[in-house]
Amino acid sequence: GISMKVTVYGAPWCAACRQAVTWLKSRGVEVVEKDYRKAPFEVLSLPAIVIGDEVLTGFNPMQLRRALREVK
């Protein structure tokens, strides 16, 4: 398949961010981790995960699976 690159905007203290990164990597997704304060948009909740042109907030595996399928 296509190698996916996903950006996760998070913070060192954010447990859900780490969970999201681990979950994505376990599915072979290439993850770029960035500080949420450097996001080019307002981050209202963490993590903010950019998949394609979609921004997902929070760690929601069902939502992530759907977004990954739609981008592929």
Side-chain angles (χ1 to χ4, degrees), residues 26-48:
S26 74
R27 277 151 186 81
V29 176
E30 194 185 331
V31 180
V32 180
E33 295 183 68
K34 295 192 175 176
D35 188 303
Y36 74 97
R37 289 166 297 195
K38 296 188 171 62
F41 49 85
E42 191 183 2
V43 176
L44 300 173
S45 96
L46 293 179

Side-chain angles (χ1 to χ4, degrees), residues 6-24 31-37 39 41-51 54-61 63-64:
V6 170
T7 304
V8 176
Y9 289 99
W13 44 261
C14 168
C17 302
R18 285 193 296 276
Q19 287 176 308
V21 168
T22 303
W23 187 93
L24 289 161
V31 180
V32 180
E33 295 183 68
K34 295 192 175 176
D35 188 303
Y36 74 97
R37 289 166 297 195
F41 49 85
E42 191 183 2
V43 176
L44 300 173
S45 96
L46 293 179
I49 303 167
V50 180
I51 300 178
E54 193 176 358
V55 179
L56 305 176
T57 51
F59 173 49
N60 178 334
Q63 206 183 33
L64 287 173

